[in-house]
Amino acid sequence: MGSKRQSIQSFFAENGVSAERLLYGRVPHADRRGFLKGAGLAGLSVLLGSAIPFQRSLPLGLIPVALADAEVMAGKDGLSVLNDRPVNAETPPHLLDDEVTPTARHFIRNNGIPPENMDAAGWELTVDGLVKNPLKLSIDQLKSDFEVVTQNLVIECGGNGRAFFEPPARGNQWTLGAVACSAWTGVRLADVLRAASPKGGVIYTAHEGADSHLSGDPGKFPISRGVPIAKAMNSSNLIAFEQNGGPIHPMNGAPLRLVVPGWPGSCSQKWLTRIWLRDRVHDGAKMTGTSYRVPKHPVAPGTRVPEEDFEIIQAMPVKSLITFPSTGTKTELETITVRGHAWAGDRLVNRVEVSRDFGATWQEARCDDPVNPYAWQRFEATLGLPEKGYYEIWARATDDASISQPFAIDWNPKGYLNNSYHRISVTRV
Ligand SMILES: Nc1nc2c(c(=O)[nH]1)N[C@H]1C(S)=C(S)[C@@H](COP(=O)(O)O)O[C@H]1N2
Ligand SMILES: [Mo]
């Protein structure tokens, strides 16, 4: 399935004209601006099963999202499992419509084998390293010694959207659903670090969890990441012991996990057992080499980048997801109301726009403030569908530094940070 989708994509990338000849059986032609005309368009309409009212804006070589999705999501419901050892599963966008993502719909990204014992009663968190006052804390002590808070916080995997990279990037082929915004209850990471009294010279945290390496080697961690101390001290980071008012799901890190919103999900250690403070950038598993790193400067797709030219990913980029309606929707109405969420790493989303005509024109959506810092922001807009036929609705968010989502993927070798527009198909029948 995936390989078929990729082959269509690479075909388009290599040669839009011959790709369309293959798809539509004829040589299409484009006007001066590169928009699809004539026979190609007729073939495309047959394939989509309807006319395309905004055909004048449809660029030659653009793969209609309705065709791409049919292959990727066929026969799936609930979470789509990408991998079972380790377990990796994502959530289709239309199941992420809730303001607070239900526990059952929170994606799962495991790098190793989850611990067998997730018993809250005997759990112990160690805080040590470069601190004057090392701590060993039970979950009950965390609850009694520190202020307990609940926050809606976005966790997004750094590799969300990797499946759309061309040339492809190795790793889990996440499409759109390695993101969630659950309500997390816990204590502030900053409060706990302060209680341990960091020494001068601390620059980075290091996180450890109780899961084991796929090789079975007890001396190896599947993942152990950290963040600069300034990010760690942000008051939105939690050491969490509840998800959505109930226990944390076993696959989401029960009974204790970090939630470090706005940065790649990998910073949010699950099954948390230890945080230690260091006087250098942490060099644990998945901190080095090309893991969670991107080239320091933009590179052309397919470029071989030497390892020393990579840098650690910090905040995730601005992004939006259309969660209603689901792609492929058919309607008899002349208008359609769409909604979704937008988020922007360490920033706020200032504006969300939607387009019904392949990005030729954009309409501003209503965009709510987040309920708390690092929660995603609801947007909603009603668009006209002037005639019967095939439409795509595209969404584009802009953050408070005026940075918008790009149309094209900012390619990098490991397939991180894909924040290109989310596109859904809608047909007026
Ligand atoms: N201990 C541990 N923590 C971990 C991981 C892991 O494999 N082991 N995966 C990380 C990655 S890469 C992501 S994206 C998030 C995913 O959180 P979730 O599985 O609860 O959705 O957890 C992070 N924390
Ligand atoms: Mo991740």
Side-chain angles (χ1 to χ4, degrees), residues 106-107 109 111 157 211 223 252 257 265 268-270 292:
H106 199 288
F107 74 101
R109 196 298 182 235
N111 288 267
C157 181
D211 45 341
I223 188 167
N252 296 129
R257 79 170 296 170
S268 295
Q269 195 82 25
K270 303 192 281 188
Y292 301 103

Side-chain angles (χ1 to χ4, degrees), residues 100-104 181-185 242-246:
V100 177
T101 308
T103 303
C181 182
S182 282
W184 296 97
T185 300
E242 273 181 30
Q243 181 177 14
N244 297 321

Side-chain angles (χ1 to χ4, degrees), residues 260-277:
V260 180
W263 285 38
S266 53
C267 300
S268 295
Q269 195 82 25
K270 303 192 281 188
W271 311 293
L272 182 69
T273 53
R274 183 181 179 211
I275 302 167
W276 50 297
L277 298 186

